[in-house]
Amino acid sequence: MNSSTTAHRAAHAAGHPQEVRLIVRHGSATDVGQVRTDNEDSLLAGSPVFLVADGMGGHRLGGAASAHAVRAFEDLVGRAFVTSREFNRRLTRAARSVAALGSGERAPGSTLTGLLLSRQGALPCLRVVNIGDSRTYHLSAQSFSQITHDHSEVQELIDSGHLDRARTLSSLSRNVITRALGAGGGDQVVADQYLLPATVGDRFIICSDGLSGHVTESLIETVARSVPDPGDAAQELVALALATGGRDNVTVIVVDVVEAFPPWENTQVDDTTLPRATSADSTVPTPASRRSCP
């Protein structure tokens, strides 16, 4: 088996003069898999930025595309928080960098998903972003859910009622992406953005479709809920994907919220009084059932 696995563990604190604090721990792992010879996934895991990019399979320079995608955000590492404007500037940089790799029908491209530490006024938040079909999941004491919405043909079939979600792992349209960095789409792209209140104890799983495309969500939740250390959890999830046959590259980042101040539960805010999202902050509204900040 031609494979490599890396894991990283760290604790990061994001401070602010107004005492807004957000501390997270993370771990990550990646593997080329048991079929492919090159790993076209890339990751960036350094507070306040945690991103996974997946070079589009079958396209030229997929690995270079994903590397360019995450490299555009490297200068944010070490900052306290990331604003929507700062994210959008780097996204434009990423889109132009990937688009410059080639044009035409078979131009290289990349997905991008993950989270950035952010603020809503004087409250700590997590900005979840997404382009393509890599995914970010949210695990709390009460629930496990996919935050991001896939930009893919199979998701469009699900949304239109023509495909049952249980059949998505075997769908022939599973790998057809409808939005990406590069891939002949030019040097401009829109990312979905969701702002979530930072809650102590919450865990986020960021992954390429080497995990989500081959492992059921119930199994992902089982590992995420049963393995306390984020680095160990990332490695276990990668191992789970390899156990299915390892037909794709697989990359996972696990991020745990260990401190968030001031806590949202001590703030007089609820769904009815939160200000609505603006286009600068969120391109896709968060479901009404989830408490969110714009």
Side-chain angles (χ1 to χ4, degrees), residues 60-69 71 94-104 106-110 181-184:
R60 296 180 298 113
L61 301 175
S66 66
H68 279 249
R71 191 174 300 137
R96 290 173 177 171
S97 182
V98 176
L101 293 174
S103 59
R106 304 296 292 176
S110 178
L181 291 161

Side-chain angles (χ1 to χ4, degrees), residues 140-162:
S140 69
Q142 296 79 26
S143 66
F144 177 77
S145 62
Q146 178 184 338
I147 300 173
T148 54
H149 193 77
D150 293 355
H151 303 132
S152 66
E153 282 194 1
V154 71
Q155 186 62 55
E156 291 180 355
L157 290 171
I158 292 172
D159 293 343
S160 65
H162 290 90

Side-chain angles (χ1 to χ4, degrees), residues 238-258:
V238 167
L240 193 61
L242 296 178
T244 69
R247 296 183 299 277
D248 198 358
N249 309 143
V250 56
T251 299
V252 179
I253 303 174
V254 177
V255 180
D256 293 344
V257 179
V258 299

Side-chain angles (χ1 to χ4, degrees), residues 42-239:
S42 296
L43 67 88
L44 176 60
S47 189
V49 186
F50 303 91
L51 298 170
V52 166
D54 181 357
M56 294 179 65
H59 289 64
R60 296 180 298 113
L61 301 175
S66 66
H68 279 249
V70 299
R71 191 174 300 137
F73 298 87
E74 286 181 346
D75 68 328
L76 293 173
V77 174
R79 298 192 182 197
F81 297 101
V82 179
T83 66
S84 61
R85 180 173 297 180
E86 289 169 338
F87 168 75
N88 288 327
R89 285 177 178 173
R90 274 67 179 185
L91 180 64
T92 298
R93 180 189 302 171
R96 290 173 177 171
S97 182
V98 176
L101 293 174
S103 59
E105 183 179 351
R106 304 296 292 176
S110 178
T111 68
L112 184 74
T113 194
L115 62 86
L116 305 94
L117 308 190
S118 189
R119 294 191 305 138
Q120 172 62 28
L123 293 169
C125 287
L126 299 162
R127 181 180 301 275
V128 175
V129 300
N130 187 64
I131 300 168
D133 66 346
S134 294
R135 293 181 178 178
T136 299
Y137 295 97
H138 172 237
L139 177 75
S140 69
Q142 296 79 26
S143 66
F144 177 77
S145 62
Q146 178 184 338
I147 300 173
T148 54
H149 193 77
D150 293 355
H151 303 132
S152 66
E153 282 194 1
V154 71
Q155 186 62 55
E156 291 180 355
L157 290 171
I158 292 172
D159 293 343
S160 65
H162 290 90
L163 181 67
D164 186 278
R165 182 172 293 275
R167 295 168 52 204
T168 59
L169 292 181
S170 60
S171 171
L172 295 177
S173 301
R174 184 170 57 82
N175 294 324
V176 181
I177 299 173
T178 57
R179 192 193 305 181
L181 291 161
D187 59 3
Q188 297 291 327
V189 67
V190 176
D192 296 346
Q193 298 185 45
Y194 309 79
L195 269 168
L196 306 180
T199 303
V200 173
D202 281 5
R203 167 170 281 187
F204 294 84
I205 297 90
I206 306 162
C207 64
S208 63
D209 70 340
L211 178 69
S212 60
H214 301 282
V215 179
T216 64
E217 289 189 0
S218 61
L219 286 176
I220 295 173
E221 178 183 3
T222 296
V223 173
R225 198 174 290 281
S226 62
V227 182
D229 181 82
D232 291 342
Q235 291 188 41
E236 288 284 345
L237 289 168
V238 167

Side-chain angles (χ1 to χ4, degrees), residues 15-33:
H16 189 270
Q18 296 180 349
E19 296 301 322
V20 180
R21 296 194 305 274
L22 182 51
I23 301 174
V24 301
R25 296 181 65 236
H26 85 272
S28 62
T30 186
D31 198 289
V32 70

